[in-house]
């Protein structure tokens, strides 16, 4: 199968689960990082939840690779800014090399940073272990309108297709002597011939695509079927109910402690 | 309404006239047509004759998607078109258009799922759906592509996929609008076999098509349209040899043309009817001259006078080889970032006044080579000289002074508000004086017969005319080499004739033309040197007139032989 978005085709633990189960799990993890008040909750959920799951799904390397490449600059600035300048009454200082960090600031940075990793990591793991087509199919089967599902999937596929067309447009216009490598003025002159075929092409294709999906019975009345079966064993349905109950309980408990505290 | 129309005749049109909303002239005029079950009915005609409209009407897209005024009665598989929505008609008739890319649903990630998409929407049970998808993939020969992304296929593969997707829906009626537009000769033969097999299963097929040789092989009946009205309707052997086809610019299939010339020269029995297939043509020529050496496949036989190819012996060509090449490729190697080695030591010189056909199977390296002719791609090893300058030391825009390239997908090229502005764009980029820009623009307009549409928006023109605009726009750059990628795709007989004259004129003015094309007959008739690419290398480089038996076999195995050469291959 072709590389599709973030999805990595492996025969791991999460890949076998129903997309809805995984999505519910991701929702629970994200909720828990904010609802559980204990210090370092994010770190615990990351180390005890997301990382073992990524390992069991055989995607841990790519998972960490993307997560850290995206968030490392944020994490470093978080530690520096909060660690050095956090407004606190606690005078405890931690010295790392020549830098004198405030302990409360470091703790805040660690707490916020690990929460951030969970919030970004849970959906990342979901998309790395779930084919987008299967996710949308599962969502439609559980009640999402088909037209919204269609728009989501088309957007996913058309972005690479449009960028490919952009290459074709640039080639065609450079072959007609359009200078795209010159000074700013030359480049500005070149914008219209480069953008216009892309936009007109996209508009024409939108009509043709509407015709194409009509021709493929998209609007035909009656029940729909699916060529690919998405397994949904009772155990997973139970698990989803349990996870949603847990999330609900957490919310209720948090609201209650807020008002009582 | 007529009772006959209510019975289950797959396609029954009675006095149908249709005018698109906003149009002044009807696209279909008073068309009456009844197609019985299991018949393959081909619709031919010039670009704009109403072929696509007829296909769209039979699938209900006219008038439900493309609005306008519909008069007369149109009934498909027992359902009156006017009163049934497309959502209902799709169970009875499937439509496949000519542009495969835009018919991909976009909602599925593999070829397999794409073919299943229509069946899912129809609510076909999974087991039956899987069986139908497997059958359709096999029938179109794309089984090995099942896990590929629909967007990662070549144009020809995409075309087969969209036909498979329509077939899987098992409609009693199938309407195909120019299905061969992006197919190479082997794929066209496969499609013909598929259509025959479907017709034997009782599926009625309406197919609009420009390639008359293919129509002759596949159709059981031919309907010719001229400006929206029926011009002729009957058996292929009658309609395709009807003199009115030539008068109205639709033309004859090549075997018919060749036989007509032979008849004029007294080498075709006067009482023998004109053939429409190569087999009948060969039989007729043999019968008229059983002892002719030109028919017995001898190597090096001079070209038979029955065909009128370029003889390639005029003065311009003989001096061509002494001149400085316009482009020189010297042991060029090129590998794409993904690791595909597309060119593996290609050496080629293009001199003034040459007419070159660059042919080869999909993936042979033709497109990569084309992009080396103007510096869009630069050699990884070896060197490419354009106008004597190494492409690594110059820009594409500078190469464009020597080499103009018209790519296959003209949508990527056209952007201006009028045809004239579009054509002026290239010469303006090259910095010519205003008078020269005007002169070149007007000359290009006339060369491609665009005078009557100069003030229209290029996108308001039918696709075939748009291709001519794209060619005119590059022609106006007045380059010494004009390179055309699949220039005949979607063009009718008249436009192809225009293109041939253009190529002749250019060669007479010592300009060169290089054509990348699957249309080997066009190549043979319009060009004289043939370069065959195979696996990133040049497998053959010679003149059509001088090909020996081994070279003809090489050409035949990769891209097929032109009909005229095939004739000499036929054993007596």
């Amino acid at each position: 199968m072709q590389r599709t978005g973030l999805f990595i085709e492996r025969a791991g633990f999460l890949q076998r689960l129903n997309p809805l189960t995984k999505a519910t799990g991701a929702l629970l993890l994200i909720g828990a990082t904010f609802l559980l008040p204990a210090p370092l909750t994010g770190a615990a959920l990351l180390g005890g939840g997301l990382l073992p799951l990524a390992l069991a799904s055989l995607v841990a390397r790519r998972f960490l690779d993307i997560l850290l490449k995206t968030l490392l600059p944020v994490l470093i600035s978080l530690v520096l800014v909060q660690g050095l300048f956090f407004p606190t009454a606690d005078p405890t200082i931690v010295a790392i090399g020549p830098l004198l960090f405030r302990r409360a600031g470091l703790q805040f940075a660690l707490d916020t940073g690990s929460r951030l990793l969970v919030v970004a990591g849970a959906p990342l793991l979901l998309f790395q272990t779930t084919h987008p087509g299967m996710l949308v199919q599962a969502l439609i089967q559980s009640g999402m309108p088909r037209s919204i599902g269609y728009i989501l999937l088309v957007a996913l596929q058309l972005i690479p297709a449009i960028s490919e067309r952009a290459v074709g447009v640039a080639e065609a216009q450079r072959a007609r002597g359009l200078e795209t490598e010159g000074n700013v003025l030359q480049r500005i002159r070149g914008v219209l011939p480069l953008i216009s075929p892309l936009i007109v092409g996209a508009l024409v294709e939108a009509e043709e695509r509407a015709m194409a999906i009509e021709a493929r019975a998209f609007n035909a009345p009656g029940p729909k079927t699916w060529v690919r079966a998405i397994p949904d064993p009772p155990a997973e349905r139970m698990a989803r109910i349990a996870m949603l109950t847990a999330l609900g309980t957490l919310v209720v408990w948090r609201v209650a402690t807020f008002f009582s505290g | 309404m007529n009772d006959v129309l209510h019975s289950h005749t797959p396609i029954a049109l009675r006095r149908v006239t249709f005018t698109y909303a906003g149009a002044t002239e009807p696209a279909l005029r008073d068309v009456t047509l009844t197609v019985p079950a299991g018949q393959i009915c081909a619709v031919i005609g010039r670009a704009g004759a109403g072929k696509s409209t007829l296909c769209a009407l039979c699938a209900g897209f006219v008038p439900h998607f493309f609005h306008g005024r519909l008069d007369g009665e149109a009934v498909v598989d027992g359902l009156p078109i006017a009163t049934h929505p497309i959502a209902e008609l799709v169970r009875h008739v499937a439509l496949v258009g000519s542009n495969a890319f835009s018919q991909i649903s976009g909602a599925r990630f593999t070829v397999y799922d794409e073919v299943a998409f229509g069946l899912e929407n129809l609510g076909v049970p999974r087991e039956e759906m899987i069986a139908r998808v497997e059958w359709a993939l096999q029938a179109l020969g794309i089984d090995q592509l099942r896990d590929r992304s629909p967007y990662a296929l070549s144009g020809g593969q995409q075309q087969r996929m969209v036909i498979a997707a329509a077939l899987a829906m098992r409609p009693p009626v199938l309407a195909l609008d120019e299905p061969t537009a992006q197919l190479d000769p082997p794929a066209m033969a496969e499609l013909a076999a598929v259509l025959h097999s479907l017709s034997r299963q009782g599926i009625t097929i309406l197919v609009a098509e420009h390639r008359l040789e293919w129509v002759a092989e596949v159709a059981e009946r031919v309907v010719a349209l001229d400006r929206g009205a029926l011009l002729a309707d009957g058996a292929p052997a009658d309609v395709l040899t009807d003199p009115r086809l030539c008068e109205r610019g639709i033309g004859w299939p090549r075997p018919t043309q060749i036989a007509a010339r032979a008849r004029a020269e007294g080498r075709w029995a006067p009482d023998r009817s004109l053939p429409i297939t190569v087999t009948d043509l060969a039989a007729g020529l043999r019968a008229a001259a059983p002892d002719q050496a030109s028919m017995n496949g001898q190597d090096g036989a001079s070209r038979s006078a029955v065909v009128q190819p370029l003889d390639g012996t005029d003065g311009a060509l003989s001096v061509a080889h002494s001149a400085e090449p316009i482009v020189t490729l010297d042991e060029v190697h090129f590998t794409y970032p993904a690791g595909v080695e597309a060119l593996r030591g290609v050496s080629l010189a293009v001199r003034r006044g040459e007419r070159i056909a660059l042919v080869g199977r999909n993936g042979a390296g033709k497109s990569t080579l084309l992009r080396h002719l103007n510096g869009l791609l630069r050699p990884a090893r070896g060197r490419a000289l354009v106008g004597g300058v190494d492409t690594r030391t110059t820009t594409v825009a500078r190469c464009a002074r020597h080499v103009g390239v018209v790519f296959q997908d003209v949508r990527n090229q056209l952007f201006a508000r009028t045809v004239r502005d579009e054509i002026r764009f290239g010469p303006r980029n090259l910095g010519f004086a205003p008078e020269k820009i005007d002169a070149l623009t007007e000359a290009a307009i006339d060369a491609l017969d665009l005078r009557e549409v100069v003030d229209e928006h290029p996108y308001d023109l039918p696709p075939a005319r748009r291709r001519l605009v794209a060619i005119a726009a590059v022609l106006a750059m007045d380059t010494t080499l004009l390179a055309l990628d699949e220039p005949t795709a979607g063009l009718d007989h008249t436009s192809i004739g225009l293109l041939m004259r253009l190529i002749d004129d250019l060669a007479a003015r010592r300009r060169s033309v290089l054509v990348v094309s699957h249309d080997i007959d066009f190549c043979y008739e319009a060009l004289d040197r043939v370069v065959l690419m195979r696996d990133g290398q040049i497998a053959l480089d010679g003149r059509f007139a001088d090909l020996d038996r081994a070279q003809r076999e090489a050409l035949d195995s990769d891209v097929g032989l032109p009909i005229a050469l095939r004739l000499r291959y036929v054993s007596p």
Side-chain angles (χ1 to χ4, degrees), chain A residues 146 150 157 171 176 208-209 216 224-225 227-228, chain B residues 102 104-105 108 113-114 120-121 124 371 422:
Chain A
R146 288 168 70 240
Y150 178 77
Q157 294 217 63
E171 282 191 340
R176 293 166 80 194
E208 287 175 338
R209 202 172 301 279
R216 308 279 287 288
K224 308 297 170 192
T225 47
V227 74
R228 291 188 193 268
Chain B
S102 57
I104 298 171
S105 75
R108 294 295 179 264
D113 294 69
E114 179 69 18
E120 295 178 330
N121 293 328
V124 175
R371 285 166 173 74
E422 189 71 52

PDB file of all heavy atoms in Angstrom, chain A residues 146 150 157 171 176 208-209 216 224-225 227-228, chain B residues 102 104-105 108 113-114 120-121 124 371 422:
ATOM      1  N   ARG A 146     -21.805  11.213   5.338  1.00  0.00           N
ATOM      2  CA  ARG A 146     -20.877  10.727   4.312  1.00  0.00           C
ATOM      3  C   ARG A 146     -20.203  11.874   3.569  1.00  0.00           C
ATOM      4  O   ARG A 146     -19.055  11.772   3.161  1.00  0.00           O
ATOM      5  CB  ARG A 146     -21.622   9.844   3.318  1.00  0.00           C
ATOM      6  CG  ARG A 146     -22.015   8.520   3.885  1.00  0.00           C
ATOM      7  CD  ARG A 146     -22.983   7.807   2.967  1.00  0.00           C
ATOM      8  NE  ARG A 146     -22.361   7.363   1.737  1.00  0.00           N
ATOM      9  CZ  ARG A 146     -22.719   7.744   0.520  1.00  0.00           C
ATOM     10  NH1 ARG A 146     -23.711   8.588   0.374  1.00  0.00           N
ATOM     11  NH2 ARG A 146     -22.121   7.289  -0.544  1.00  0.00           N
ATOM     12  N   TYR A 150     -16.312  12.395   2.915  1.00  0.00           N
ATOM     13  CA  TYR A 150     -15.759  12.532   1.561  1.00  0.00           C
ATOM     14  C   TYR A 150     -14.820  13.734   1.483  1.00  0.00           C
ATOM     15  O   TYR A 150     -13.712  13.651   0.959  1.00  0.00           O
ATOM     16  CB  TYR A 150     -16.894  12.675   0.543  1.00  0.00           C
ATOM     17  CG  TYR A 150     -16.387  12.868  -0.853  1.00  0.00           C
ATOM     18  CD1 TYR A 150     -15.889  11.786  -1.574  1.00  0.00           C
ATOM     19  CD2 TYR A 150     -16.350  14.128  -1.440  1.00  0.00           C
ATOM     20  CE1 TYR A 150     -15.381  11.957  -2.845  1.00  0.00           C
ATOM     21  CE2 TYR A 150     -15.846  14.300  -2.717  1.00  0.00           C
ATOM     22  CZ  TYR A 150     -15.364  13.215  -3.410  1.00  0.00           C
ATOM     23  OH  TYR A 150     -14.843  13.392  -4.663  1.00  0.00           O
ATOM     24  N   GLN A 157      -6.047  13.583  -0.077  1.00  0.00           N
ATOM     25  CA  GLN A 157      -5.417  13.088  -1.303  1.00  0.00           C
ATOM     26  C   GLN A 157      -5.082  14.201  -2.272  1.00  0.00           C
ATOM     27  O   GLN A 157      -4.174  14.081  -3.068  1.00  0.00           O
ATOM     28  CB  GLN A 157      -6.353  12.110  -2.000  1.00  0.00           C
ATOM     29  CG  GLN A 157      -6.563  10.880  -1.200  1.00  0.00           C
ATOM     30  CD  GLN A 157      -6.652   9.679  -2.111  1.00  0.00           C
ATOM     31  OE1 GLN A 157      -5.711   9.353  -2.806  1.00  0.00           O
ATOM     32  NE2 GLN A 157      -7.786   9.030  -2.098  1.00  0.00           N
ATOM     33  N   GLU A 171       6.899  23.793 -14.928  1.00  0.00           N
ATOM     34  CA  GLU A 171       7.663  23.268 -16.071  1.00  0.00           C
ATOM     35  C   GLU A 171       7.145  23.864 -17.379  1.00  0.00           C
ATOM     36  O   GLU A 171       7.928  24.306 -18.225  1.00  0.00           O
ATOM     37  CB  GLU A 171       7.527  21.745 -16.137  1.00  0.00           C
ATOM     38  CG  GLU A 171       8.402  21.017 -15.139  1.00  0.00           C
ATOM     39  CD  GLU A 171       8.440  19.520 -15.408  1.00  0.00           C
ATOM     40  OE1 GLU A 171       7.523  19.021 -16.099  1.00  0.00           O
ATOM     41  OE2 GLU A 171       9.380  18.864 -14.935  1.00  0.00           O
ATOM     42  N   ARG A 176       8.251  28.045 -21.669  1.00  0.00           N
ATOM     43  CA  ARG A 176       7.832  29.149 -22.541  1.00  0.00           C
ATOM     44  C   ARG A 176       8.636  30.402 -22.233  1.00  0.00           C
ATOM     45  O   ARG A 176       8.209  31.507 -22.544  1.00  0.00           O
ATOM     46  CB  ARG A 176       6.346  29.432 -22.361  1.00  0.00           C
ATOM     47  CG  ARG A 176       5.477  28.295 -22.855  1.00  0.00           C
ATOM     48  CD  ARG A 176       4.070  28.462 -22.366  1.00  0.00           C
ATOM     49  NE  ARG A 176       3.324  29.423 -23.162  1.00  0.00           N
ATOM     50  CZ  ARG A 176       2.164  29.946 -22.793  1.00  0.00           C
ATOM     51  NH1 ARG A 176       1.626  29.607 -21.630  1.00  0.00           N
ATOM     52  NH2 ARG A 176       1.527  30.790 -23.549  1.00  0.00           N
ATOM     53  N   GLU A 208     -15.704  18.434 -12.624  1.00  0.00           N
ATOM     54  CA  GLU A 208     -15.569  17.085 -13.180  1.00  0.00           C
ATOM     55  C   GLU A 208     -15.647  16.029 -12.079  1.00  0.00           C
ATOM     56  O   GLU A 208     -16.185  14.950 -12.276  1.00  0.00           O
ATOM     57  CB  GLU A 208     -14.250  16.958 -13.935  1.00  0.00           C
ATOM     58  CG  GLU A 208     -14.274  17.713 -15.252  1.00  0.00           C
ATOM     59  CD  GLU A 208     -12.943  17.703 -15.958  1.00  0.00           C
ATOM     60  OE1 GLU A 208     -11.907  17.488 -15.290  1.00  0.00           O
ATOM     61  OE2 GLU A 208     -12.928  17.921 -17.160  1.00  0.00           O
ATOM     62  N   ARG A 209     -15.097  16.376 -10.918  1.00  0.00           N
ATOM     63  CA  ARG A 209     -15.119  15.416  -9.821  1.00  0.00           C
ATOM     64  C   ARG A 209     -16.545  15.224  -9.297  1.00  0.00           C
ATOM     65  O   ARG A 209     -16.955  14.122  -8.971  1.00  0.00           O
ATOM     66  CB  ARG A 209     -14.195  15.881  -8.690  1.00  0.00           C
ATOM     67  CG  ARG A 209     -13.734  14.777  -7.786  1.00  0.00           C
ATOM     68  CD  ARG A 209     -12.678  15.283  -6.843  1.00  0.00           C
ATOM     69  NE  ARG A 209     -11.525  15.805  -7.565  1.00  0.00           N
ATOM     70  CZ  ARG A 209     -10.571  15.047  -8.065  1.00  0.00           C
ATOM     71  NH1 ARG A 209     -10.611  13.756  -7.917  1.00  0.00           N
ATOM     72  NH2 ARG A 209      -9.562  15.588  -8.701  1.00  0.00           N
ATOM     73  N   ARG A 216     -20.603   7.554 -10.011  1.00  0.00           N
ATOM     74  CA  ARG A 216     -20.295   6.384  -9.193  1.00  0.00           C
ATOM     75  C   ARG A 216     -21.320   6.224  -8.083  1.00  0.00           C
ATOM     76  O   ARG A 216     -21.028   5.622  -7.056  1.00  0.00           O
ATOM     77  CB  ARG A 216     -18.884   6.517  -8.622  1.00  0.00           C
ATOM     78  CG  ARG A 216     -17.834   6.806  -9.695  1.00  0.00           C
ATOM     79  CD  ARG A 216     -17.405   5.576 -10.428  1.00  0.00           C
ATOM     80  NE  ARG A 216     -16.569   4.806  -9.547  1.00  0.00           N
ATOM     81  CZ  ARG A 216     -15.352   5.171  -9.223  1.00  0.00           C
ATOM     82  NH1 ARG A 216     -14.819   6.245  -9.720  1.00  0.00           N
ATOM     83  NH2 ARG A 216     -14.640   4.435  -8.404  1.00  0.00           N
ATOM     84  N   LYS A 224     -25.843   1.682   2.294  1.00  0.00           N
ATOM     85  CA  LYS A 224     -24.510   1.568   1.701  1.00  0.00           C
ATOM     86  C   LYS A 224     -23.805   0.339   2.280  1.00  0.00           C
ATOM     87  O   LYS A 224     -24.111  -0.119   3.381  1.00  0.00           O
ATOM     88  CB  LYS A 224     -23.665   2.802   2.020  1.00  0.00           C
ATOM     89  CG  LYS A 224     -24.350   4.108   1.685  1.00  0.00           C
ATOM     90  CD  LYS A 224     -24.618   4.239   0.214  1.00  0.00           C
ATOM     91  CE  LYS A 224     -25.514   5.430  -0.052  1.00  0.00           C
ATOM     92  NZ  LYS A 224     -26.030   5.432  -1.412  1.00  0.00           N
ATOM     93  N   THR A 225     -22.832  -0.155   1.516  1.00  0.00           N
ATOM     94  CA  THR A 225     -22.013  -1.251   2.032  1.00  0.00           C
ATOM     95  C   THR A 225     -20.553  -0.837   1.937  1.00  0.00           C
ATOM     96  O   THR A 225     -20.229   0.201   1.358  1.00  0.00           O
ATOM     97  CB  THR A 225     -22.240  -2.527   1.201  1.00  0.00           C
ATOM     98  OG1 THR A 225     -22.183  -2.190  -0.179  1.00  0.00           O
ATOM     99  CG2 THR A 225     -23.589  -3.143   1.519  1.00  0.00           C
ATOM    100  N   VAL A 227     -16.445  -2.302   1.206  1.00  0.00           N
ATOM    101  CA  VAL A 227     -15.663  -3.431   0.721  1.00  0.00           C
ATOM    102  C   VAL A 227     -14.710  -3.933   1.806  1.00  0.00           C
ATOM    103  O   VAL A 227     -14.356  -5.100   1.857  1.00  0.00           O
ATOM    104  CB  VAL A 227     -14.907  -3.070  -0.589  1.00  0.00           C
ATOM    105  CG1 VAL A 227     -13.725  -2.155  -0.321  1.00  0.00           C
ATOM    106  CG2 VAL A 227     -14.474  -4.330  -1.315  1.00  0.00           C
ATOM    107  N   ARG A 228     -14.303  -3.037   2.684  1.00  0.00           N
ATOM    108  CA  ARG A 228     -13.403  -3.464   3.763  1.00  0.00           C
ATOM    109  C   ARG A 228     -14.178  -3.531   5.073  1.00  0.00           C
ATOM    110  O   ARG A 228     -14.859  -2.575   5.445  1.00  0.00           O
ATOM    111  CB  ARG A 228     -12.230  -2.489   3.909  1.00  0.00           C
ATOM    112  CG  ARG A 228     -11.300  -2.565   2.721  1.00  0.00           C
ATOM    113  CD  ARG A 228     -10.038  -1.764   2.935  1.00  0.00           C
ATOM    114  NE  ARG A 228      -9.330  -1.631   1.665  1.00  0.00           N
ATOM    115  CZ  ARG A 228      -8.394  -2.481   1.258  1.00  0.00           C
ATOM    116  NH1 ARG A 228      -8.025  -3.497   2.026  1.00  0.00           N
ATOM    117  NH2 ARG A 228      -7.804  -2.311   0.097  1.00  0.00           N
TER     118      ARG A 228
ATOM    119  N   SER B 102      -9.548  13.279 -13.644  1.00  0.00           N
ATOM    120  CA  SER B 102     -10.612  13.976 -12.933  1.00  0.00           C
ATOM    121  C   SER B 102     -11.793  13.059 -12.614  1.00  0.00           C
ATOM    122  O   SER B 102     -12.753  13.488 -12.002  1.00  0.00           O
ATOM    123  CB  SER B 102     -11.079  15.177 -13.743  1.00  0.00           C
ATOM    124  OG  SER B 102     -11.485  14.748 -15.004  1.00  0.00           O
ATOM    125  N   ILE B 104     -11.261  10.221 -10.940  1.00  0.00           N
ATOM    126  CA  ILE B 104     -10.907   9.478  -9.741  1.00  0.00           C
ATOM    127  C   ILE B 104     -11.707  10.086  -8.595  1.00  0.00           C
ATOM    128  O   ILE B 104     -11.761  11.307  -8.452  1.00  0.00           O
ATOM    129  CB  ILE B 104      -9.388   9.600  -9.486  1.00  0.00           C
ATOM    130  CG1 ILE B 104      -8.624   8.986 -10.655  1.00  0.00           C
ATOM    131  CG2 ILE B 104      -9.002   8.950  -8.180  1.00  0.00           C
ATOM    132  CD1 ILE B 104      -7.149   9.246 -10.622  1.00  0.00           C
ATOM    133  N   SER B 105     -12.336   9.250  -7.779  1.00  0.00           N
ATOM    134  CA  SER B 105     -13.240   9.782  -6.753  1.00  0.00           C
ATOM    135  C   SER B 105     -12.493  10.649  -5.739  1.00  0.00           C
ATOM    136  O   SER B 105     -13.028  11.604  -5.216  1.00  0.00           O
ATOM    137  CB  SER B 105     -13.931   8.633  -6.036  1.00  0.00           C
ATOM    138  OG  SER B 105     -13.022   8.003  -5.150  1.00  0.00           O
ATOM    139  N   ARG B 108     -10.791   7.279  -2.160  1.00  0.00           N
ATOM    140  CA  ARG B 108     -10.229   5.964  -1.886  1.00  0.00           C
ATOM    141  C   ARG B 108      -8.728   5.963  -2.154  1.00  0.00           C
ATOM    142  O   ARG B 108      -8.260   6.684  -3.023  1.00  0.00           O
ATOM    143  CB  ARG B 108     -10.934   4.903  -2.725  1.00  0.00           C
ATOM    144  CG  ARG B 108     -12.406   4.702  -2.348  1.00  0.00           C
ATOM    145  CD  ARG B 108     -12.555   4.148  -0.931  1.00  0.00           C
ATOM    146  NE  ARG B 108     -13.943   3.975  -0.542  1.00  0.00           N
ATOM    147  CZ  ARG B 108     -14.645   4.865   0.165  1.00  0.00           C
ATOM    148  NH1 ARG B 108     -14.077   6.011   0.516  1.00  0.00           N
ATOM    149  NH2 ARG B 108     -15.885   4.614   0.505  1.00  0.00           N
ATOM    150  N   ASP B 113      -9.862  -0.249  -3.840  1.00  0.00           N
ATOM    151  CA  ASP B 113     -10.961   0.454  -3.161  1.00  0.00           C
ATOM    152  C   ASP B 113     -11.663   1.419  -4.109  1.00  0.00           C
ATOM    153  O   ASP B 113     -12.867   1.635  -3.995  1.00  0.00           O
ATOM    154  CB  ASP B 113     -10.432   1.224  -1.948  1.00  0.00           C
ATOM    155  CG  ASP B 113      -9.914   0.292  -0.877  1.00  0.00           C
ATOM    156  OD1 ASP B 113      -8.887  -0.346  -1.117  1.00  0.00           O
ATOM    157  OD2 ASP B 113     -10.542   0.173   0.177  1.00  0.00           O
ATOM    158  N   GLU B 114     -10.894   1.993  -5.035  1.00  0.00           N
ATOM    159  CA  GLU B 114     -11.487   2.924  -5.998  1.00  0.00           C
ATOM    160  C   GLU B 114     -12.491   2.196  -6.892  1.00  0.00           C
ATOM    161  O   GLU B 114     -13.578   2.711  -7.168  1.00  0.00           O
ATOM    162  CB  GLU B 114     -10.373   3.557  -6.849  1.00  0.00           C
ATOM    163  CG  GLU B 114     -10.843   4.528  -7.917  1.00  0.00           C
ATOM    164  CD  GLU B 114     -11.417   5.823  -7.354  1.00  0.00           C
ATOM    165  OE1 GLU B 114     -11.155   6.142  -6.185  1.00  0.00           O
ATOM    166  OE2 GLU B 114     -12.154   6.500  -8.096  1.00  0.00           O
ATOM    167  N   GLU B 120     -20.009   0.229  -3.349  1.00  0.00           N
ATOM    168  CA  GLU B 120     -20.350   0.579  -1.960  1.00  0.00           C
ATOM    169  C   GLU B 120     -21.541   1.534  -1.940  1.00  0.00           C
ATOM    170  O   GLU B 120     -22.456   1.407  -1.133  1.00  0.00           O
ATOM    171  CB  GLU B 120     -19.150   1.226  -1.265  1.00  0.00           C
ATOM    172  CG  GLU B 120     -17.965   0.291  -1.104  1.00  0.00           C
ATOM    173  CD  GLU B 120     -16.761   0.977  -0.455  1.00  0.00           C
ATOM    174  OE1 GLU B 120     -16.580   2.188  -0.633  1.00  0.00           O
ATOM    175  OE2 GLU B 120     -16.004   0.284   0.224  1.00  0.00           O
ATOM    176  N   ASN B 121     -21.496   2.490  -2.881  1.00  0.00           N
ATOM    177  CA  ASN B 121     -22.575   3.468  -2.925  1.00  0.00           C
ATOM    178  C   ASN B 121     -23.895   2.851  -3.366  1.00  0.00           C
ATOM    179  O   ASN B 121     -24.964   3.336  -2.997  1.00  0.00           O
ATOM    180  CB  ASN B 121     -22.203   4.618  -3.866  1.00  0.00           C
ATOM    181  CG  ASN B 121     -21.052   5.434  -3.322  1.00  0.00           C
ATOM    182  OD1 ASN B 121     -20.911   5.577  -2.108  1.00  0.00           O
ATOM    183  ND2 ASN B 121     -20.214   5.949  -4.197  1.00  0.00           N
ATOM    184  N   VAL B 124     -24.060  -2.811  -2.751  1.00  0.00           N
ATOM    185  CA  VAL B 124     -23.862  -4.212  -3.148  1.00  0.00           C
ATOM    186  C   VAL B 124     -23.263  -4.981  -1.965  1.00  0.00           C
ATOM    187  O   VAL B 124     -22.330  -4.490  -1.328  1.00  0.00           O
ATOM    188  CB  VAL B 124     -22.912  -4.268  -4.369  1.00  0.00           C
ATOM    189  CG1 VAL B 124     -22.575  -5.700  -4.734  1.00  0.00           C
ATOM    190  CG2 VAL B 124     -23.527  -3.536  -5.551  1.00  0.00           C
ATOM    191  N   ARG B 371      12.595  16.451 -21.074  1.00  0.00           N
ATOM    192  CA  ARG B 371      12.935  17.509 -20.128  1.00  0.00           C
ATOM    193  C   ARG B 371      14.425  17.849 -20.115  1.00  0.00           C
ATOM    194  O   ARG B 371      14.841  18.811 -19.476  1.00  0.00           O
ATOM    195  CB  ARG B 371      12.454  17.117 -18.726  1.00  0.00           C
ATOM    196  CG  ARG B 371      10.948  17.252 -18.584  1.00  0.00           C
ATOM    197  CD  ARG B 371      10.421  16.561 -17.341  1.00  0.00           C
ATOM    198  NE  ARG B 371       9.020  16.849 -17.138  1.00  0.00           N
ATOM    199  CZ  ARG B 371       8.012  16.335 -17.841  1.00  0.00           C
ATOM    200  NH1 ARG B 371       8.268  15.502 -18.827  1.00  0.00           N
ATOM    201  NH2 ARG B 371       6.763  16.658 -17.584  1.00  0.00           N
ATOM    202  N   GLU B 422      -2.542  34.564 -24.837  1.00  0.00           N
ATOM    203  CA  GLU B 422      -1.848  33.322 -24.507  1.00  0.00           C
ATOM    204  C   GLU B 422      -0.679  33.109 -25.470  1.00  0.00           C
ATOM    205  O   GLU B 422       0.426  32.749 -25.064  1.00  0.00           O
ATOM    206  CB  GLU B 422      -2.848  32.161 -24.620  1.00  0.00           C
ATOM    207  CG  GLU B 422      -2.336  30.835 -24.108  1.00  0.00           C
ATOM    208  CD  GLU B 422      -2.196  30.801 -22.594  1.00  0.00           C
ATOM    209  OE1 GLU B 422      -3.169  31.135 -21.912  1.00  0.00           O
ATOM    210  OE2 GLU B 422      -1.111  30.444 -22.110  1.00  0.00           O
TER     211      GLU B 422
END
